[in-house]
């Protein structure tokens, strides 16, 4: 029996056996650690037909799914080399405190000049156009490192302003 249940308490060991909740939490932590070490990939499954019949390919059904998932736009942007895309309004509202010219955001937000504000933010972070692109309605970042640097800068600014408010 001790070989089947190694964590069971022996007569000289007075510790309580591990609980199912502890084992579950421990396995979740190892899973989270393993996932955080990996690069995320997304796999999209597309049904070739509605009848679930092999060797039957319905082009209209597949094209409908591709359009709904936005895969064509995603592939076009990824092949151009842009890892991140966001509308100007969302980008400005998230990162406006990263630049002294756009914080406080009254000057740009009240006039709905999100594109100009986003351009100011991104040009302050990276003056060369090689790391970003500006579209008609969205801003595109070439690599994920630029995005993570922007997020880190935002976190530092939030921390700075939170400390400033608390004083």
């Amino acid at each position: 029996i001790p070989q089947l249940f190694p964590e069971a308490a022996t007569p000289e060991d007075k510790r309580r056996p591990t609980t199912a909740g502890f084992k579950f939490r421990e396995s979740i932590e190892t899973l989270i650690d393993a996932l955080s070490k990996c690069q995320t990939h997304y796999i999209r499954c597309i049904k070739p037909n509605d009848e679930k019949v092999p060797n039957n390919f319905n082009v209209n059904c597949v094209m409908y799914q591709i359009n709904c998932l936005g895969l064509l736009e995603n592939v076009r942007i990824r092949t151009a080399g842009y890892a991140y895309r966001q509308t100007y309004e969302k980008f400005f509202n998230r990162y406006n405190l990263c630049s002294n010219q756009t914080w406080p955001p009254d000057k740009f937000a009240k006039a709905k000049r999100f594109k100009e504000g986003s351009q100011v933010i991104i040009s302050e972070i990276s003056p060369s156009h090689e790391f970003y692109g500006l579209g008609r309605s969205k801003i595109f970042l070439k690599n994920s490192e630029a995005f993570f640097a922007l997020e880190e800068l935002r976190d530092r600014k939030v921390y700075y302003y939170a400390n400033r408010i608390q004083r």
Side-chain angles (χ1 to χ4, degrees):
I1 290 182
Q3 292 172 344
L4 294 174
F5 303 103
E7 72 272 351
T10 59
E12 56 272 350
D13 187 13
K14 302 297 180 194
R15 290 182 295 165
R16 297 176 73 186
T18 56
T19 62
F22 178 78
K23 289 179 184 178
F24 180 74
R25 186 173 56 228
E26 203 171 54
S27 68
I28 291 294
E29 286 174 359
T30 57
L31 175 67
I32 296 294
D33 289 341
L35 289 175
S36 65
K37 293 176 185 173
C38 300
Q39 288 185 329
T40 55
H41 294 28
Y42 295 100
I43 299 173
R44 306 267 193 215
C45 296
I46 298 175
K47 294 186 214 172
N49 60 55
D50 292 329
E51 294 84 29
K52 296 183 182 177
V53 178
N55 300 325
N56 184 4
F57 189 82
N58 185 344
V59 176
N60 293 333
C61 177
V62 170
M63 285 307 294
Y64 177 74
Q65 293 175 63
I66 288 173
N67 286 334
C68 287
L69 292 171
L71 290 180
L72 292 177
E73 177 190 357
N74 205 353
V75 167
R76 188 173 58 247
I77 290 170
R78 299 286 181 201
T79 55
Y82 295 104
Y84 172 82
R85 67 180 186 276
Q86 190 61 262
T87 61
Y88 287 116
E89 182 176 2
K90 287 182 182 179
F91 183 86
F92 178 79
N93 288 332
R94 180 153 182 84
Y95 300 111
N96 59 17
L97 55 92
C98 293
S99 169
N100 293 333
Q101 296 178 34
T102 57
W103 184 256
D106 300 338
K107 184 170 84 173
F108 293 100
K110 284 185 180 176
K112 301 222 181 262
R113 294 171 29 206
F114 300 115
K115 185 174 183 176
E116 290 175 42
S118 298
Q119 287 173 335
V120 168
I121 294 166
I122 200 71
S123 64
E124 244 183 61
I125 307 290
S126 171
S128 79
H129 282 318
E130 67 185 54
F131 295 113
Y132 67 92
L134 302 171
R136 217 173 60 243
S137 61
K138 292 184 179 180
I139 189 165
F140 303 93
L141 299 180
K142 276 255 190 209
N143 54 14
S144 54
E145 289 82 20
F147 169 70
F148 292 130
L150 198 58
E151 278 292 321
E152 188 177 327
L153 177 63
R154 181 184 180 275
D155 289 344
R156 281 188 302 201
K157 290 284 191 167
V158 167
Y159 181 78
Y160 169 76
Y161 286 126
N163 280 339
R164 197 167 158 190
I165 289 170
Q166 291 174 357
R167 286 185 195 164

